[in-house]
């Protein structure tokens, strides 16, 4: 794998020590709230408060005054950044805030921004903590009840565990692996598809969720066949990027058209993928005015640019893998 490729993935950047041993401390919440240095990342409907008025684009972190006894809070760890407003070693917490609490913190809704917009302009530290915060808060939002008995679960370990008070089951944050694949043919053209849920001129790499009991490599072969009708071979892992919209991690692979396959025989599945096209590098460059490529924060964009050998000055919203 190319280290340079991994460093180009906006949401894979991080500058926090997750400090997992402290999560289990029984006095964690009291210790964090009594420490005047602790900073809180409030998250409101997936958005964070942003300061674009000073140098660069920075998340606005609050004091622990915004925490209430019933706040869903998660301990994110210790900031490692030396160029952030807070000193290295600052404990960081995230909290999901209500509409009223968000309004009290900052009533101007335009100052609350989403991760996709921030991911290409915010620092490694800020992008990393917002990605971590969204991923774990999204998990909490959909795992409030015990999967065995349905009882309401209790948050423990600094927000990294939920426990059932009836049967003692512990549940831990999950993430859904999805593969995304740069398929090439013998002429080194790539296969792009247009998803039924997008505008009809938006094209991206094919992607899909890994099924239970399936290797990543098997998922690459299966998904490419399901979505295009083509058999591919030689899946090679490139790198990964968390994609907390709401709970994915995107695993990038290359693969090539299998021997004996004719790229013209592709059949879009008609449900997820409505159109498929092969692009040479020249054809892709020539198409930039007529097609929409995946957004700058997506792993798909980085994979296409890596194949192309250059960064594209082409702005659009990112794509997202869907079930
Ligand atoms: Zn239970």
């Amino acid at each position: 794998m190319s280290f340079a490729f991994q460093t180009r993935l906006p949401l894979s950047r991080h500058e926090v020590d997750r400090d997992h041993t402290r999560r289990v401390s029984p006095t964690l919440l009291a210790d964090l709230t009594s420490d005047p240095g602790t900073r809180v990342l409030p998250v409101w409907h997936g958005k964070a408060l942003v300061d674009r008025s000073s140098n660069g684009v920075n998340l606005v972190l609050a004091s622990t005054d915004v925490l209430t006894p019933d706040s869903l809070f998660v301990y994110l760890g210790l900031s490692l950044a030396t160029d952030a407003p807070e000193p290295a070693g600052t404990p960081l917490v995230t909290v999901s805030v209500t509409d009223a609490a968000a309004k009290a913190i900052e009533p101007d809704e335009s100052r609350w921004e989403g991760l996709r917009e921030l991911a290409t302009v915010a620092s490694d530290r800020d992008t990393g903590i917002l990605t971590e915060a969204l991923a774990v808060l999204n998990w909490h939002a959909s795992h409030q009840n015990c999967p065995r008995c349905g009882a309401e679960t209790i948050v423990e370990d600094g927000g990294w565990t939920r426990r059932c008070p009836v049967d003692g089951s512990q549940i831990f944050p999950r993430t859904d692996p999805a593969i995304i694949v740069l398929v090439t043919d013998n002429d080194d053209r790539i296969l792009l598809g247009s998803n039924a849920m997008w505008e009809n001129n938006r094209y991206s790499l094919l992607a899909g969720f890994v099924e239970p009991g399936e290797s990543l490599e098997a998922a690459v072969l299966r998904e490419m066949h399901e979505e295009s009708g083509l058999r591919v071979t030689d899946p090679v892992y490139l790198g990964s990027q968390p994609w907390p919209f709401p709970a994915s991690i995107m695993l990038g692979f290359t693969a090539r058209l299998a021997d004996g396959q004719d790229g013209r025989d592709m059949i879009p599945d008609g449900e997820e993928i409505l159109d498929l096209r092969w692009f040479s590098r020249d054809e892709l460059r020539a198409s930039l005015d007529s097609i929409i490529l995946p957004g700058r924060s997506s792993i798909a964009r980085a994979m296409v640019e890596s194949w192309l050998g250059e960064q594209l000055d082409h702005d659009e919203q990112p794509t997202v893998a869907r079930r």
Side-chain angles (χ1 to χ4, degrees):
M1 137 184 172
S2 156
F3 184 70
F5 173 76
Q6 185 73 31
T7 60
R8 290 187 49 216
L9 301 174
L11 277 64
S12 294
R13 297 179 295 147
H14 56 90
E15 211 169 7
V16 162
D17 170 1
R18 292 196 177 199
D19 191 20
H20 73 282
T21 54
R22 196 176 174 197
R23 294 173 185 169
V24 296
S25 165
T27 59
L28 177 65
L29 179 56
D31 293 345
L32 288 170
T33 50
S34 64
D35 178 349
T38 301
R39 284 294 168 270
V40 182
L41 170 62
V43 172
W44 175 58
H45 294 307
K47 295 180 174 181
L49 186 56
V50 176
D51 177 13
R52 285 181 179 265
S53 60
S54 54
N55 294 334
V57 178
N58 293 294
L59 294 183
V60 179
L61 304 182
S63 75
T64 54
D65 293 348
V66 301
L67 296 175
T68 59
D70 59 345
S71 292
L72 170 57
F73 97 102
V74 175
Y75 177 48
L76 298 175
L78 303 170
S79 177
L80 297 177
T82 52
D83 56 354
E86 305 77 26
T90 296
L92 299 173
V93 165
T94 189
V95 62
S96 176
V97 296
T98 62
D99 291 351
K103 208 161 200 159
I105 295 167
E106 174 51 66
D108 179 357
E109 291 188 11
S110 71
R111 292 197 56 205
W112 294 83
E113 297 187 38
L115 176 60
R116 291 179 214 214
E117 294 74 50
L118 292 170
T120 54
V121 291
S123 68
D124 291 1
R125 202 283 306 264
D126 282 0
T127 306
I129 61 172
L130 185 55
T131 303
E132 181 184 0
L134 291 184
V136 71
L137 290 175
N138 287 344
W139 172 77
H140 279 288
S142 57
H143 290 79
Q144 295 180 343
N145 295 88
C146 173
R148 284 191 192 164
C149 74
E152 199 165 323
T153 51
I154 296 164
V155 179
E156 292 186 337
D157 299 343
W160 290 93
T161 308
R162 297 187 76 105
R163 187 176 55 79
C164 174
V166 177
D167 57 35
S169 312
Q170 284 184 305
I171 51 173
F172 301 99
R174 303 295 163 93
T175 190
D176 298 332
I179 49 89
I180 179 162
V181 189
L182 185 114
V183 177
T184 49
D185 69 3
N186 287 336
D187 297 320
D188 204 22
R189 296 182 302 171
I190 57 169
L191 183 62
L192 299 182
S194 187
N195 191 298
M197 301 181 76
W198 307 335
E199 307 97 304
N200 58 14
N201 60 338
R202 176 188 293 277
Y203 284 82
S204 186
L205 300 174
L206 302 186
F209 284 97
V210 180
E211 293 189 342
E214 182 177 53
S215 71
L216 303 180
E217 292 80 3
V220 168
L221 306 193
R222 175 185 54 77
E223 278 285 346
M224 295 308 100
H225 185 248
E226 284 179 8
E227 295 190 351
S228 72
L230 296 172
R231 298 288 179 188
V232 305
T233 188
D234 292 346
V236 175
Y237 177 67
L238 284 177
S240 68
Q241 169 164 274
W243 196 245
F245 309 107
S248 299
I249 180 162
M250 305 303 297
L251 304 153
F253 281 82
T254 57
R256 62 179 182 85
L257 201 56
D259 293 341
Q261 291 281 294
D262 185 332
R264 291 169 298 188
D265 292 343
M266 57 200 176
I267 308 165
D269 68 10
E271 290 184 16
E272 251 184 281
I273 299 298
L274 297 184
D275 187 40
L276 290 164
R277 287 170 64 182
W278 291 98
F279 289 85
S280 68
R281 291 178 180 83
D282 286 343
E283 285 165 348
L284 188 70
R285 288 189 195 100
S287 304
L288 293 176
D289 291 337
S290 57
I291 65 168
I292 303 171
L293 285 177
R296 291 177 192 275
S297 60
S298 67
I299 189 172
R301 177 64 165 261
M303 291 167 71
V304 168
E305 289 181 345
S306 177
W307 164 80
L308 193 62
E310 64 182 276
Q311 278 184 271
L312 294 170
D313 185 28
H314 175 94
D315 233 340
E316 247 311 318
Q317 293 300 305
T319 60
V320 58
R322 294 183 169 90
R323 279 185 199 279

